[in-house]
Amino acid sequence: MSDNHEKSSSTPHKSRVSLQGDCENCFGLCCVALPYAASADFAIDKDAGCPCPNLQSDYRCGIHDSLRQRGFRGCTVYDCFGAGQKVSQITFGGRDWRGAPESAKLMFEVFPIMRQLHELLWYLNEALTLPSASPIHGELAQALDETERLTDLDSGSIMELDIAAHRAKVNDLLLRTSELVRAEAIRSQKGSASRRKTYGRGADLIGAKLRGADLRGANLRGAYLIAADLRGADLRGADLIGADLRDADLRGADLTGSIFLTQPQLNSAKGDADTRLPKSLTRPAHWSSSGR
């Protein structure tokens, strides 16, 4: 999978392809390990460790082609960043939880930890492609190596990890990356940035009217953009890590050059054929084909 940013001299270690869910090589872990509650995203309640009633004996979804229509929109948004196949095929050596029920509980507990590690790998790989972050590429590469090493641990060692501490260490590097990238994006605007409104981390922008807004280089980390109107907005160089884009209207928006955007975020939003995306991401199938 290619990235929209110019490649730097630092080459990411793990292909972005391997950081996407591969259901063919997974034992339906997201359909069993994770809990969900009846809501706009899920038609029923399900406890952690309990198989979804739509999960078939071959670990495939029985209603995959009609999930949204049947009230399981949340399933179409989710992506494990490749953690499912890693746990299934590497950590547990291809032993499935039905064939080896004694390992089921541990497998289901390891899976969400592995997902966190794989999500960090996604961000670190992207950071290493950003020329503006070249001053810290060495530190980023070390963090990527360490995170990859953690994903290769045995199941017991993974359960003993202080995942919060590791996330905090990586997040410090991602914050520094963001500052470097956004500063460059703002410098390139030739003074226009001073006339734009700025937003802080975790900004409450639920339902905000931001149609056509100039958000280049904006700090939208963890921002609540639920149902925000971002039609035609310019988000180049904006940091979108952790931003809640559920039902945000991205029709005609320019997301090229935005950083730390993930497929699940896009899947939860609305867009169309005119929405410009980073090359590393895929236009969701449920987006409209019509323009603004």
Side-chain angles (χ1 to χ4, degrees), residues 10-15 18 125 128 141-142 144-145 148:
S10 298
T11 302
H13 296 202
K14 185 177 286 291
S15 166
S18 68
N125 267 272
L128 280 167
Q142 289 178 1
L144 187 145
D145 285 339
E148 286 192 332

Side-chain angles (χ1 to χ4, degrees), residues 14-278:
K14 185 177 286 291
S15 166
R16 300 291 279 276
V17 172
S18 68
L19 296 175
Q20 289 180 305
D22 177 7
C23 298
E24 293 299 316
N25 288 298
C26 176
F27 300 132
L29 296 185
C30 65
C31 306
V32 187
L34 306 179
Y36 53 71
S39 63
D41 290 324
F42 296 101
I44 59 174
D45 293 319
K46 190 189 84 64
D47 294 329
C50 177
C52 172
N54 298 311
L55 185 67
Q56 301 179 124
S57 59
D58 62 356
Y59 299 113
R60 300 295 169 260
C61 175
I63 61 168
H64 178 75
D65 294 333
S66 57
L67 282 165
R68 284 182 169 263
Q69 295 88 332
R70 297 203 180 191
F72 288 87
R73 184 178 71 162
C75 297
T76 69
V77 170
Y78 183 81
D79 189 279
C80 70
F81 294 98
Q85 64 262 26
K86 181 66 176 278
V87 172
S88 298
Q89 303 300 331
I90 306 299
T91 312
F92 285 84
R95 300 189 311 276
D96 69 277
W97 52 270
R98 283 185 173 132
E102 70 281 358
S103 67
K105 183 175 184 295
L106 181 57
M107 182 180 286
F108 301 154
E109 291 174 345
V110 165
F111 171 65
I113 299 174
M114 186 68 79
R115 186 194 186 270
Q116 292 185 64
L117 292 171
H118 272 231
E119 184 178 10
L120 293 177
L121 287 176
W122 176 275
Y123 295 138
L124 288 167
N125 267 272
E126 178 176 350
L128 280 167
T129 70
L130 302 171
S132 299
S134 59
I136 61 170
H137 274 180
E139 293 174 80
L140 289 165
Q142 289 178 1
L144 187 145
D145 285 339
E146 173 63 9
T147 305
E148 286 192 332
R149 185 188 68 79
L150 296 180
T151 69
D152 290 329
L153 293 173
D154 61 76
S155 57
S157 298
I158 289 175
M159 290 301 299
E160 294 176 359
L161 290 177
D162 187 343
I163 190 66
H166 185 68
R167 287 185 67 95
K169 182 169 64 174
V170 172
N171 187 56
D172 178 65
L173 287 172
L174 299 180
L175 279 168
R176 289 163 64 190
T177 299
S178 174
E179 290 165 0
L180 289 167
V181 172
R182 290 187 295 103
E184 177 62 28
I186 291 171
R187 279 196 299 271
S188 68
Q189 294 169 38
K190 300 179 180 178
S192 63
S194 62
R195 298 191 295 273
R196 294 187 293 107
K197 185 174 181 180
T198 58
Y199 300 98
R201 183 176 182 179
D204 184 354
L205 296 169
I206 296 175
K209 307 301 182 184
L210 296 168
R211 184 171 186 174
D214 185 351
L215 297 171
R216 288 174 294 171
N219 180 9
L220 294 171
R221 294 174 63 90
Y224 296 95
L225 288 160
I226 302 167
D229 184 356
L230 288 161
R231 286 175 291 173
D234 191 342
L235 290 150
R236 289 175 293 172
D239 183 350
L240 291 166
I241 196 168
D244 193 336
L245 293 170
R246 283 178 292 169
D247 292 323
D249 194 339
L250 297 173
R251 286 177 291 170
D254 189 350
L255 294 156
T256 58
S258 61
I259 59 173
F260 304 138
L261 179 65
T262 66
Q263 194 65 48
Q265 287 172 293
L266 278 185
N267 293 346
S268 70
K270 300 174 182 177
D272 63 9
D274 291 333
T275 306
R276 301 180 63 188
L277 304 177

